[in-house]
Amino acid sequence: MLCAIPVEILIRELDGVLYQALHLARRGMPTLVGDRMVNRYIRSTDRPLIYFDSDQHVPTNRHVLDCGGVVLNVNSEGQGLVDDPPEMQANFAAIIEHATKICLWGEKQRDIMTRLVPADRAGDLPVTGHPSFDLVAERFLGYYRNEAITGEHGEDYILVNTSFGMFNHEMGFDYYVKMLSRMEEWKVYTDPEHLRTLKVRCAHQERTALAMIELCRMLARTYPERHIIIRPHPAENADYYRSRTADHANIFVSKQWSAREWISSAAAVIHHDCTTGLEATLMGKLVLQYEPYEDIEGSATLMTSIGHRATSPQEALGRIAEGGMPEATSRALRERLAPYLENVNRCASETIADLAAGYGEGRGTWVPEPLGMWDTAKCWRKYLSKRLRAHQPGRNGRKVRYALNKFSRLRKEEVVRRLDGLRSAEPGLPEVSVRQLCLNTFLISPE
């Protein structure tokens, strides 16, 4: 059967999606990959397919199921499920009504979900891990190495990854929440109790962000010859950090490139409660979890246990001076992660591909055709309109820039380059062909 995987945030999700597509190709299954045009393709046909859902768009899921297809929910926010308040956990559990299976990060997440879904659906909660984390193994360090980064910043830079997108959102907190609340699947954002929870999280994020900025300034003074890189979450306003560090020439704020490209050549990685800490740990890096306040209400508690815990700038400086992550510490962290992240034990992409292949066995397949000239022109018109509107001042411009940052133009050559790189890192992956169907939408097929 044809598989379809929409990508929401290009810089964060593309590698994992392509790696998953290669494992599907190994089982003879083609994969449709790209932006929201993937959903348009799906809704324009009544042929059955296997849809990899991540954003719980109910109309698309229902269409796939009504046409005899399969919906595998593969959500990228598994750590949130552990910490989410009950109303958010229930909101996530409701996906089961519009999915064939919900693929969960680990046993702990399944324990939570089993209590929330109908008893007759508890068997539809396989523990698989997430495909993206298959790539945070040391054999992929070369794949992520970026010569442009090392050429400018060397290989002794300190990476400080921030994840404070609630209070420091590119579009502002109030507008962001209002936008989410308009979506049918996120009506929980209109609940007063949930909004109070979010405001507590905002306050904690703000004071922690300010503390991390002060840590960066101290690092810059202590190591004047080294570069300190602040990499904000894609949803964050980077100018918040630039305006507060502009007096230090060796502090750089950048959203360019992926977090893993920065991690691969960093000497040390500092985070607060971000998946970057998890990724850096599994990639064998020195990781510091910076916790300047004892109260971590509103933080992702799983992530706050990843790395050497530092509660003050002096403690963080001491850890960096020691250098390296001891093997015993790294091993203990992996054991701590295993119940929450099945990737520690096995390859999620293989598990999910086997699951998909079981549904596709004996059912044949079909492949979509490229859009016609008129529909292709409309895609380009919409994209170019966004590029122009991104220059607008104020909120409208920020909203369009936010959308473009999530999924900018993706060329076929870049897709092919990444697929080749993944096969170089893991030679057993199969050869595939890549066909561009329209702007930002590709068909990856086994050869």
Side-chain angles (χ1 to χ4, degrees):
M1 290 175 73
L2 173 70
C3 298
I5 311 179
V7 178
E8 183 184 9
I9 302 177
L10 191 68
I11 198 168
R12 185 176 74 185
E13 298 176 13
L14 183 60
D15 290 323
V17 167
L18 295 180
Y19 188 67
Q20 181 70 78
L22 286 168
H23 280 278
L24 292 166
R26 179 184 278 171
R27 291 152 180 82
M29 307 173 79
T31 305
L32 182 64
V33 170
D35 63 11
R36 289 185 180 268
M37 279 302 296
V38 169
N39 288 352
R40 179 173 169 181
Y41 266 104
I42 290 168
R43 293 195 298 270
S44 66
T45 181
D46 58 1
R47 296 175 179 178
L49 53 80
I50 299 174
Y51 180 60
F52 289 68
D53 168 46
S54 61
D55 63 359
Q56 300 92 57
H57 189 251
V58 173
T60 303
N61 288 14
R62 287 272 24 126
H63 178 81
V64 172
L65 294 173
D66 290 344
C67 294
V70 173
V71 175
L72 301 179
N73 180 271
V74 185
N75 191 280
S76 62
E77 301 299 337
Q79 88 277 7
L81 183 60
V82 177
D83 293 312
D84 279 342
E87 65 271 16
M88 285 295 284
Q89 292 178 342
N91 194 60
F92 187 82
I95 298 166
I96 199 70
E97 299 176 16
H98 314 287
T100 309
K101 302 279 187 185
I102 299 179
C103 300
L104 296 171
W105 280 27
E107 295 290 347
K108 293 290 188 181
Q109 289 87 340
R110 182 164 64 181
D111 290 345
I112 294 169
M113 290 288 286
T114 300
R115 297 192 295 268
L116 297 173
V117 303
D120 63 343
R121 298 301 307 274
D124 295 324
L125 303 172
V127 173
T128 62
H130 193 277
S132 179
F133 294 115
D134 290 334
L135 301 179
V136 289
E138 291 191 44
R139 69 179 181 278
F140 289 106
L141 282 173
Y143 173 76
Y144 284 111
R145 182 179 174 83
N146 186 322
E147 299 299 334
I149 290 176
T150 57
E152 182 176 357
H153 302 290
E155 299 194 47
D156 65 344
Y157 61 83
I158 299 169
L159 175 65
V160 180
N161 212 78
T162 67
S163 184
F164 304 121
M166 190 59 66
F167 101 91
N168 186 37
H169 198 279
E170 186 80 38
M171 294 185 291
F173 172 77
D174 292 333
Y175 188 83
Y176 175 59
V177 170
K178 184 178 179 181
M179 179 186 71
L180 286 176
S181 68
R182 294 193 189 109
M183 302 168 66
E184 189 61 36
E185 59 269 31
W186 294 113
K187 290 300 182 186
V188 66
Y189 280 88
T190 63
D191 179 75
E193 184 59 36
H194 185 61
L195 288 174
R196 279 192 288 273
T197 300
L198 295 182
K199 288 179 180 178
V200 169
R201 182 177 298 176
C202 276
H204 175 70
Q205 285 190 357
E206 182 172 13
R207 66 176 186 161
T208 305
L210 289 170
M212 290 190 81
I213 289 170
E214 186 53 41
L215 172 61
C216 290
R217 295 170 62 86
M218 184 172 287
L219 287 167
R221 292 193 294 270
T222 304
Y223 298 106
E225 302 303 317
R226 298 174 72 174
H227 289 187
I228 314 301
I229 311 297
I230 299 177
R231 188 184 182 278
H233 185 279
E236 282 195 78
N237 177 8
D239 288 340
Y240 179 85
Y241 300 101
R242 292 192 182 103
S243 64
R244 290 163 172 78
T245 58
D247 56 333
H248 287 276
N250 61 330
I251 297 180
F252 299 81
V253 181
S254 177
K255 283 189 177 184
Q256 195 174 14
W257 301 303
S258 71
R260 291 173 189 174
E261 287 174 286
W262 287 106
I263 293 170
S264 68
S265 47
V269 177
I270 301 174
H271 76 110
H272 170 63
D273 67 345
C274 184
T275 52
T276 300
L278 183 156
E279 293 169 326
T281 296
L282 296 178
M283 292 173 86
K285 295 293 179 173
L286 170 63
V287 180
L288 276 67
Q289 189 273 327
Y290 192 55
E291 187 56 71
Y293 302 103
E294 290 298 325
D295 176 15
I296 60 171
E297 186 175 3
S299 297
T301 56
L302 171 59
M303 299 307 158
T304 56
S305 66
I306 302 300
H308 288 302
R309 190 166 184 265
T311 60
S312 68
Q314 292 75 19
E315 192 174 356
L317 288 168
R319 287 291 190 185
I320 290 172
E322 291 173 5
M325 182 73 87
E327 177 59 31
T329 303
S330 179
R331 186 167 56 252
L333 282 171
R334 287 173 177 268
E335 292 173 359
R336 162 87 170 83
L337 277 172
Y340 299 89
L341 189 67
E342 185 65 13
N343 299 74
V344 173
N345 301 314
R346 56 178 174 160
C347 176
S349 297
E350 287 186 1
T351 304
I352 294 170
D354 285 339
L355 185 63
Y359 283 110
E361 188 174 358
R363 299 187 65 179
T365 192
W366 62 278
V367 294
E369 293 297 323
L371 292 183
M373 183 176 68
W374 177 242
D375 284 333
T376 297
K378 286 195 291 186
C379 283
W380 275 101
R381 180 181 177 183
K382 185 175 181 179
Y383 171 73
L384 293 173
S385 172
K386 283 183 179 180
R387 298 289 299 180
L388 290 172
R389 287 184 288 125
H391 295 289
Q392 291 179 325
R395 180 172 289 160
N396 288 336
R398 288 200 304 274
K399 182 177 179 180
V400 177
R401 288 193 296 274
Y402 174 63
L404 286 174
N405 284 338
K406 290 178 71 174
F407 206 119
S408 54
R409 184 183 174 191
L410 177 62
R411 291 173 170 81
K412 176 181 175 180
E413 292 77 15
E414 177 64 11
V415 174
V416 171
R417 183 188 72 80
R418 289 179 185 243
L419 289 167
D420 288 344
L422 290 169
R423 283 198 303 273
S424 294
E426 192 172 312
L429 294 171
E431 294 285 337
V432 293
S433 63
V434 179
R435 187 181 189 190
Q436 184 161 5
L437 303 185
C438 62
L439 178 68
N440 289 346
T441 305
F442 304 88
L443 180 68
I444 300 171
S445 302
E447 289 191 343

